[in-house]
Amino acid sequence: MARIPVTQAPTLLPKLQMANAAMFDLGKDVYIYETLLTDIGLAVSGSNQKVCFYEPETLQKTGLLDYHKDQLTQIRSRETGLFTCSVDKQIAHWDLRQALTSPVQVFKANDPLLSFDISANNAFLVGGSILNDSYSANITFWDPRVPSTPVKLFENSHSDDVSQIHCCPSAPNQFLSGSTDGLLCTFDASQSDEDDALLYVANTNASVAKCGYFGPNSQFIYAQSDMETLQLWTNDSTQLADFGDVRDIKESGIPIDYMVDFRYDPQTERLYMVSGTNGGDIHLLHVGAGSFEHVQALASGHSAIVRAFDWGIGQEWAVSGGEDGHLTWWSTNVPLASPLANPLQLSSDTKKTFGSGEHGNVGSSNGNRRFSPY
């Protein structure tokens, strides 16, 4: 495949700088899965099956969720609630206005869950499972008013793990599933029959690690594979771009080893790719129609693979978490005269005090044109 065009666009976004750092540190070799800003602070999930809460900016620990008995696979927030999903076959709903001693609802599935989402109108919750012993990878639906029993099951659309579920922000009955079988499936959840519900199928020919909607009307889909390839599609399964292996942009001097996540900015209508190096540096790139613009690099916040990145693009902050257990707060408002200790050089005593617990047109480099390649 041809080399991916990459240009520099350092003025496209306000420059983020490291503003604070903490250690997740709930046990030996515990690393961070996800970071998510909620109504009561920053929720951070770890490989020890727990979720910790931190104050934004100060990163002072404020709470702990300890419920699941197996690996956490996803967390999502909705209004005053937090939902946690696990391989233990459960999705737990936590009311963030109450004491975090036990979930207010528990949605139970027949198989270990890898992914889930809640519809934009809160009418249904949908989860994706691993491939079970019967060689079925299920998509399970629940009515939030009756969490104890699933209301329907789709069993035939995927032939391997359902790694991603995303409900469409613009069409409350529509959702997207991605699987390690390489398929992106778009469904109408109002239909009871699986064949009737399946609207579109796109074959990426690669195991889907992450996917999601973007665009003013959620009309586009990005798809990232576990081989670090990237494709862009319309939500009716027309392929728009195939970047191949994004690590090839090393030839342009951008040393990325993997993709972390994607963020869409509705104000500028731009899609951004968050990528990283094995040494822990983060690179932010604007994704165009077959090309990238390198916006900025975030260095010295991590010493290992970065797994989590939450970003308030219009609010001038970001937070990252990695396999080194570091939680790092980035801001555009860092006083020049306030030195910050490098989290990679913290002493063992200092680490224990931080978060310790019991365990077409591509936007130009000057940022004046919007992302609207299609």
Side-chain angles (χ1 to χ4, degrees), residues 18 21 279-282 298-303 326 328 330 341-345:
M18 185 166 59
D281 290 342
I282 300 168
L298 308 180
S300 303
H302 298 278
S303 61
H326 295 143
T328 304
W330 309 85
N342 188 330
L344 310 187
Q345 298 174 344

Side-chain angles (χ1 to χ4, degrees), residues 3-277:
R3 178 174 170 178
I4 305 170
V6 183
T7 56
Q8 295 291 330
T11 62
L12 205 58
L13 290 170
K15 187 171 179 57
L16 290 163
Q17 301 178 72
M18 185 166 59
N20 212 338
M23 289 297 296
F24 191 69
D25 200 19
L26 290 179
K28 184 179 179 181
D29 298 325
V30 173
Y31 52 86
I32 292 170
Y33 280 153
E34 280 189 273
T35 56
L36 182 65
L37 192 63
T38 73
D39 282 354
I40 65 167
L42 185 65
V44 182
S45 65
S47 57
N48 59 355
Q49 304 146 31
K50 296 178 175 61
V51 177
C52 279
F53 286 90
Y54 296 84
E55 284 288 343
E57 300 186 33
T58 66
L59 299 184
Q60 294 297 308
K61 183 181 171 185
T62 59
L64 175 70
L65 300 182
D66 186 3
Y67 173 77
H68 292 285
K69 303 307 179 186
D70 209 331
Q71 176 186 338
L72 287 168
T73 52
Q74 199 168 23
I75 59 175
R76 289 189 184 274
S77 64
R78 180 57 57 88
E79 298 171 350
T80 58
L82 180 74
F83 293 79
T84 57
C85 178
S86 171
V87 176
D88 66 9
K89 307 178 184 181
Q90 298 181 88
I91 299 171
H93 174 203
W94 306 82
D95 188 337
L96 300 181
R97 299 166 297 183
Q98 302 179 11
L100 302 177
T101 53
S102 60
V104 293
Q105 291 178 307
V106 176
F107 302 84
K108 295 187 177 182
N110 296 325
D111 298 301
L113 294 166
L114 296 177
S115 54
F116 79 102
D117 203 358
I118 309 101
S119 66
N121 59 0
N122 297 319
F124 64 91
L125 187 146
V126 55
S129 81
I130 67 167
L131 185 69
N132 60 30
D133 293 337
S134 300
Y135 300 100
S136 177
N138 296 325
I139 296 174
T140 305
F141 297 81
W142 294 268
D143 182 336
R145 298 166 298 181
V146 189
S148 58
T149 306
V151 294
K152 61 184 175 185
L153 197 69
F154 290 172
E155 304 175 88
N156 301 315
S157 296
H158 289 292
S159 59
D160 212 332
D161 298 348
V162 182
S163 54
Q164 293 279 281
I165 294 284
H166 289 279
C167 291
C168 183
S170 303
N173 287 327
Q174 191 175 111
F175 74 94
L176 170 71
S177 63
S179 169
T180 55
D181 63 10
L183 301 183
L184 300 170
C185 294
T186 300
F187 294 92
D188 178 358
S190 67
Q191 301 295 320
S192 298
D193 181 79
E194 184 170 357
D195 289 338
D196 294 336
L198 184 58
L199 301 176
Y200 306 104
V201 179
N203 189 353
T204 67
N205 292 304
S207 174
V208 176
K210 289 189 177 181
C211 62
Y213 292 102
F214 71 101
N217 299 302
S218 309
Q219 70 268 45
F220 306 125
I221 293 169
Y222 64 84
Q224 167 195 339
S225 80
D226 56 15
M227 297 298 291
E228 307 305 335
T229 61
L230 173 65
Q231 297 176 5
L232 304 181
W233 297 76
T234 65
N235 61 5
D236 61 359
S237 299
T238 300
Q239 189 180 87
L240 298 168
D242 185 352
F243 290 86
D245 191 333
V246 301
R247 294 171 295 187
D248 290 344
I249 69 171
K250 288 181 179 180
E251 298 176 9
S252 300
I254 313 298
I256 71 169
D257 296 308
Y258 53 87
M259 290 174 277
V260 180
D261 212 342
F262 291 80
R263 286 293 183 273
Y264 175 69
D265 180 9
Q267 298 301 315
T268 61
E269 298 183 8
R270 291 189 177 103
L271 178 69
Y272 291 96
M273 180 177 77
V274 183
S275 57
T277 69

